[in-house]
Amino acid sequence: MFHEGELTVQRRAGVEADAARLEGMLAPADLRGGLAQFLAGRTYAALAARDGDDRLWVAPVSGPPGFLEPTGATTLAVHAAPAPGDALHGLPADQPVGLIVLEYVARRRARVNGRLVAAGPDGLLVEVAEAFGNCPRHIPPRPLALAAPADGSVLDDDLVAAVDTFVLGTSHPERGADASHRGGPPGFLRRESAHVLVWDDLPGNQMFTSLGNLAVDPAAALLLVHPGTGRRQQLSGTASVRWDVPGSATGRQVAFEVERVVG
């Protein structure tokens, strides 16, 4: 069932009936069948989790096809881990995590949320609670470039201006962490002030998982990747939803306050 934050945002947006038709996507996870085939063929995912100081981040994880291995109906082995220099390198186990698995060229994605039951330098093991596909809307149809982590702690304005896609991490006290995709033309993510980034919330599946989480817990994280060079930055902070914003297609805008930068 939808949690209280999701229901609050759905009511405010006037889409309760549309969202209710999708509630079956929140049924207990089953990684067999078509979803297993999709996961097994992918080479990239983004992981939302907390570091040893309980700060939320989003990290990329990648490998050859098969690095995401469903080992049962509700168990996913990830044969990769956040690299040295990444904000989530050495992340602790026994915590909620969210994965979004993306194939940019074919414009396909799936969300896998659950609990990290084991973590090491060579891989992760996730006990999955939710797993479902998402629509391809706003996914740029191009290959993903991903460079090695870089040293840095200052927000890169050129990177912010160039991105046409990023991953948003949010969390809920009972439901756990979630990673979701946001996309648009370069410039859709923009700096509003020294420490605040904003983007317009575009039409989606009306479930409002991310915005619903933010209605309960403002902790948020962004993973930005330059579409040409693969340079990336990880941002951690808090976010809030603005309503009735003039000029926005939906009237909604998200403001993200940057507290920490890695990369």
Side-chain angles (χ1 to χ4, degrees), residues 60-61 81-90 149 232:
V61 287
D86 190 283
L88 285 178
H89 177 64
R232 66 182 190 255

Side-chain angles (χ1 to χ4, degrees), residues 117-129:
V117 295
D122 299 319
L124 314 170
L125 184 65
V126 180
E127 185 64 30
V128 179

Side-chain angles (χ1 to χ4, degrees), residues 89-153:
H89 177 64
L91 80 165
D94 193 25
Q95 65 161 309
V97 296
L99 283 155
I100 185 161
V101 183
L102 287 153
E103 183 180 10
Y104 284 97
V105 173
R107 303 181 67 236
R108 300 175 67 194
R109 58 184 166 176
R111 284 156 92 159
V112 178
N113 298 340
R115 191 158 196 87
L116 182 64
V117 295
D122 299 319
L124 314 170
L125 184 65
V126 180
E127 185 64 30
V128 179
E130 296 176 349
F132 52 88
N134 277 167
C135 73
R137 190 178 297 180
H138 312 306
I139 299 178
R142 57 165 176 78
L144 174 73
L146 195 64
D151 293 330
S153 59

